Amino acid sequence: MQTATDTLTIIRPDDWHVHLRDGAVMASVVADTARQFARAIIMPNIRPPVTTTELAQAYRQRIMTSLEQAGIAQESFTPLMTLYLTDNTSADEVVRASQSGIVHGIKLYPAGATTNSDAGVTDLLGRCTPALEAMERVGMPLLVHGEVTDPAVDLFDREAVFIDRVMLPLRRAFPGLKVVFEHLTTRDGVDYVRDADGPIAATITAHHLLYNRNALFLGGVRPHWYCLPVLKRETHRLALVEAATGDSPRFFLGTDSAPHPRGLKEHACGCAGCYTALHAMELYATAFDAAGRLDRLEAFASLNGPAFYGLPVNTGKLVLQRAEYSIPAELPMADTTVVPLAAGESLGWAVQA
């Protein structure tokens, strides 16, 4: 990493959790991710979900075609595919995925936890044991949406309860299983990931580093700040900042950027998800700068993730300039628009072209 008063140069980063969607929506948003990141873990919760290696290969080809149509050189961006874990995922499918060379994780969505999660797992240890045994054996990471969906559990407590009800029993049963606790949001989660035994890591989003739950209600209900897991109290935000900017290699960048049409966000039952792919590194640089830890951004964005996934560090560079960056009010998305996080506001860092 090279720093100057107004310039920050880091190894080109990776996004270890992003939603590209499919079809015309993907064509509208894929370039935003590819312009900043060399690689990205692609979430499988499209319709229909990516449940097999064959479906992952087909989805990957659609991504590469969209990149070409957007004028992005295919060799400059590598989509790292994932499978959607279901109650019926077989051990043979896990082995096929591992041998494919393109699938780098299998995603656990508790049924009903978030957008397009209705096909998710209903009983992890009861129904998924053969798949989990195979994943542990071949070294395939389990990527976890870490919330329970029990309606009796308070929305703001679902991550902490997930640790007790799901994560602890899971890792007792499969101590060698590689686990990524995705889009971490609480001090409870930070403490667990930092101190747990075995191969575990966590991604942290820019919006959870920058905002607490007050952002949802400033001047009224603001649907474009609504995501799942939801923004939490300030004490949790501070714990996430400490983890992201600290020395532990277990924490790394994952935007969870999720495009939704403006009309479905500003809706009686609005979709969960924040669109941050356009200005992801500007947001992260702002968060690290506010913490006085720009020196830690490269490890978080460019080094820790490859180390956990067993992949080489990228060779390219990304340059950030201390300059005003104005976030657009909205962006084209298929036949509608998407509102990026913090639309209409300004940030203090901009990625150089």
Side-chain angles (χ1 to χ4, degrees):
M1 182 185 69
Q2 299 174 355
T3 61
T5 303
D6 297 318
T7 303
L8 177 66
T9 301
I10 64 172
I11 295 168
R12 194 171 176 209
D14 301 304
D15 185 350
W16 298 98
H17 182 129
V18 70
H19 299 268
L20 295 183
R21 307 303 188 210
D22 207 354
V25 172
M26 178 174 67
S28 298
V29 305
V30 65
D32 286 342
T33 292
R35 287 191 187 105
Q36 297 186 55
F37 299 104
R39 297 172 292 209
I41 285 281
I42 312 301
M43 290 295 104
N45 60 331
I46 58 174
R47 292 189 184 277
V50 182
T51 54
T52 68
T53 305
E54 183 179 9
L55 289 172
Q57 290 167 333
Y59 186 25
R60 185 183 189 280
Q61 184 55 55
R62 296 197 297 276
I63 294 170
M64 302 310 290
T65 299
S66 287
L67 285 171
E68 184 177 12
Q69 292 171 345
I72 303 290
Q74 292 192 359
E75 61 271 18
S76 71
F77 178 75
T78 302
L80 307 175
M81 309 310 294
T82 62
L83 300 190
Y84 187 119
L85 185 67
T86 74
D87 289 343
N88 300 312
T89 301
S90 69
D92 288 344
E93 191 60 57
V94 171
V95 173
R96 275 192 293 273
S98 176
Q99 293 174 343
S100 73
I102 67 162
V103 176
H104 294 266
I106 298 181
K107 182 62 184 279
L108 167 64
Y109 287 106
T114 188
T115 303
N116 295 348
S117 64
D118 46 295
V121 169
T122 61
D123 182 2
L124 181 62
L125 294 181
R127 292 179 175 267
C128 299
T129 294
L132 293 169
E133 288 174 340
M135 291 172 67
E136 185 178 38
R137 185 172 68 253
V138 302
M140 177 69 72
L142 178 68
L143 317 181
V144 173
H145 182 110
E147 293 187 291
V148 298
T149 55
D150 183 347
V153 176
D154 188 282
L155 177 69
F156 295 96
D157 296 332
R158 289 180 179 179
E159 184 171 291
V161 173
F162 181 89
I163 294 171
D164 290 335
R165 290 189 185 178
V166 181
M167 190 68 85
L168 291 174
L170 168 69
R171 301 194 69 245
R172 279 196 298 267
F174 302 97
L177 179 66
K178 296 182 74 170
V179 177
V180 181
F181 203 140
E182 304 222 89
H183 41 54
L184 207 62
T185 65
T186 63
R187 183 175 293 277
D188 311 74
V190 167
D191 291 345
Y192 175 73
V193 171
R194 184 192 61 230
D195 299 333
D197 293 329
I200 187 167
T203 58
I204 303 177
T205 77
H207 43 290
H208 288 103
L209 291 176
L210 285 168
Y211 304 105
N212 62 36
R213 64 188 188 179
N214 287 342
L216 285 163
F217 307 107
L218 291 176
V221 177
R222 301 204 293 174
H224 299 289
W225 269 258
Y226 171 52
C227 56
L228 287 174
V230 72
L231 298 171
K232 302 296 197 302
R233 291 180 180 271
E234 178 66 1
T235 183
H236 297 299
R237 187 192 72 82
L238 292 174
L240 295 173
V241 170
E242 182 179 1
T245 63
D247 297 330
S248 173
R250 289 185 166 186
F251 302 97
F252 44 82
L253 186 155
T255 64
D256 194 20
S257 178
H260 292 284
R262 181 170 195 154
L264 291 183
K265 289 289 288 180
E266 300 170 2
H267 192 268
C269 186
C271 296
C274 299
Y275 188 65
T276 59
L278 174 74
H279 50 326
M281 289 308 301
E282 286 91 345
L283 290 165
Y284 280 109
T286 299
F288 276 67
D289 196 14
R293 294 307 307 269
L294 281 172
D295 61 307
R296 296 298 303 163
L297 181 58
E298 184 175 66
F300 176 79
S302 311
L303 303 179
N304 295 347
F308 184 83
Y309 276 89
L311 294 171
V313 172
N314 298 317
T315 57
K317 300 290 183 180
L318 182 125
V319 180
L320 289 141
Q321 186 79 29
R322 192 184 294 277
E324 183 177 0
Y325 175 82
S326 298
I327 305 170
E330 61 181 6
L331 301 163
M333 190 184 80
D335 58 354
T336 182
T337 60
V338 61
V339 177
L341 185 74
E345 298 182 13
S346 294
L347 301 173
W349 288 90
V351 173
Q352 287 191 349

